[in-house]
Amino acid sequence: MIEPILLLPIHFSFILLMLIASSLSIAAVARSSSLSERIAVAGSFSNKIALVILTYGIFRNDWMIGSVGAVILIAGDAGMLILALTELKE
């Protein structure tokens, strides 16, 4: 039988504040005009979401979720680096 893991209200509020902070990046994408700014904002957004996943995994004491967040952090940074390099060549 699967037993649910209950999170404390402080954990929910911390994750909610992190999601609100990451929504600021979405507003910045809508306001930016250059492609390099959009790449930087997208990188910031991916880092924030990966950190939300990591903190959720830590709060649940589930390290598989935390490892997924770490992989997203690593792969997202590499993808943003490749996008930035292609932007510099153009």
Side-chain angles (χ1 to χ4, degrees):
M1 174 142 192
I2 298 175
E3 296 180 17
I5 299 173
L6 299 175
L7 297 178
L8 297 174
I10 188 78
H11 296 159
F12 280 121
S13 61
F14 187 72
I15 291 175
L16 182 65
L17 286 174
M18 290 178 78
L19 288 174
I20 290 170
S22 64
S23 68
L24 295 174
S25 298
I26 295 171
V29 166
R31 299 178 104 199
S32 65
S33 59
S34 70
L35 186 60
S36 60
E37 285 181 28
R38 289 185 178 191
I39 289 173
V41 170
S44 171
F45 179 71
S46 68
N47 285 337
K48 288 176 187 173
I49 293 299
L51 288 175
V52 168
I53 293 170
L54 276 171
T55 55
Y56 181 73
I58 290 170
F59 288 155
R60 279 193 52 148
N61 200 15
D62 187 0
W63 293 106
M64 288 303 285
I65 294 175
S67 63
V68 167
V71 168
I72 290 171
L73 256 173
I74 293 167
D77 288 342
M80 289 301 142
L81 180 67
I82 291 170
L83 279 174
L85 289 175
T86 57
E87 169 65 20
L88 289 175
K89 288 183 181 180
E90 292 179 357

